[in-house]
Amino acid sequence: MSHPGEPALHQGEVSSRLNWLRAAVLGANDGIVSVAGLVVGVAGATTERPVLLTAGVAGLVAGALSMAAGEYVSVSTQRDTQRALLETERRELAEMPEQELEELARIYVDKGLSEPLARQVAAELTAGDALRAHADAELGIDPDEVVSPWQAAWASAASFTVGALVPLLTIVLLPTSVRVVACFLAVVLALALTGALSAHFGGAGHRRATIRTVLGGAVAMAVTYGIGHLVGRSV
């Protein structure tokens, strides 16, 4: 049961929530920073709106597809590993139940329970759902919450797209005289929001996460704008 002030990661469905949350936050931050760096860099070389739009859309599509593919491959590997571990545990429970029961009891002894109580807990949990009990204690896996690669891929692609739209729309829709400054401010605000949300859902401190996220994006934009300006002048 949850209680007021309990961190989000201590509430139900931890593995599933952290899976999509990690993909969504990383995707949004990558979308904001990557496309902001791209369009600001191009804006340092040219003021042509069609060029900025083309560069921004290309960066958005390529980045979203890349993020989705990367998350799918990464999480698929994690899922396959989880399934293999669960299958091994299932086989061991069928072939050597006594040894597995002893192993589970030893885990609870190592966690601080007395040996008689640890054996009682292990026996009762095994009688209820042996695979779940052993998977949780030995592997840290919930058999019903094996990670989903498609969920991670879609969350990453969608959040990248949403994040990327912030700098893209700002740089394309606003007048030339203010577009770079406005883009910089919009990106800083967006990164502050994603940093704070990430810290909130992860139960971490807001200030450090927000500052770290904002500084990274600001440095990226400053560097790419400078490089774009230098290249634009020399071409």
Side-chain angles (χ1 to χ4, degrees), residues 7-9 195-206:
L9 70 123
L197 286 175
S198 174
H200 172 72
F201 286 115
H206 289 200

Side-chain angles (χ1 to χ4, degrees), residues 53-222:
L53 178 61
T54 301
V57 170
L60 185 156
V61 173
L65 292 177
S66 176
M67 288 289 294
E71 281 293 328
Y72 183 83
V73 170
S74 174
V75 177
S76 291
T77 301
Q78 182 183 355
R79 178 198 58 185
D80 293 343
T81 300
Q82 289 179 332
R83 286 178 173 176
L85 290 171
L86 289 172
E87 184 57 36
T88 298
E89 195 63 40
R90 196 176 282 112
R91 185 178 66 254
E92 290 177 346
L93 285 168
E95 296 175 355
M96 51 185 75
E98 293 301 323
Q99 292 92 324
E100 284 296 297
L101 182 60
E102 180 65 26
E103 183 180 8
L104 185 59
R106 181 54 50 189
I107 289 173
Y108 289 119
V109 168
D110 292 340
K111 289 183 177 181
L113 295 184
S114 65
E115 188 161 335
L117 181 56
R119 290 183 180 278
Q120 181 184 350
V121 169
E124 292 187 9
L125 289 175
T126 299
D129 190 329
L131 179 61
R132 182 181 300 277
H134 286 260
D136 177 62
E138 296 179 34
L139 308 174
I141 298 174
D142 185 336
D144 293 333
E145 293 184 7
V146 175
V147 293
S148 168
W150 283 112
Q151 184 184 54
W154 283 113
S156 182
S159 57
F160 184 98
T161 300
V162 172
L165 286 174
V166 173
L168 176 59
L169 294 178
T170 304
I171 207 81
V172 168
L173 297 180
L174 294 182
T176 303
S177 59
V178 299
R179 62 172 47 145
V180 173
V181 174
C183 183
F184 184 91
L185 294 176
V187 166
V188 166
L189 289 175
L191 289 175
L193 177 61
T194 58
L197 286 175
S198 174
H200 172 72
F201 286 115
H206 289 200
R207 180 177 299 178
R208 179 175 296 181
T210 302
I211 292 175
R212 182 171 57 238
T213 304
V214 169
L215 284 179
V219 170
M221 284 188 293

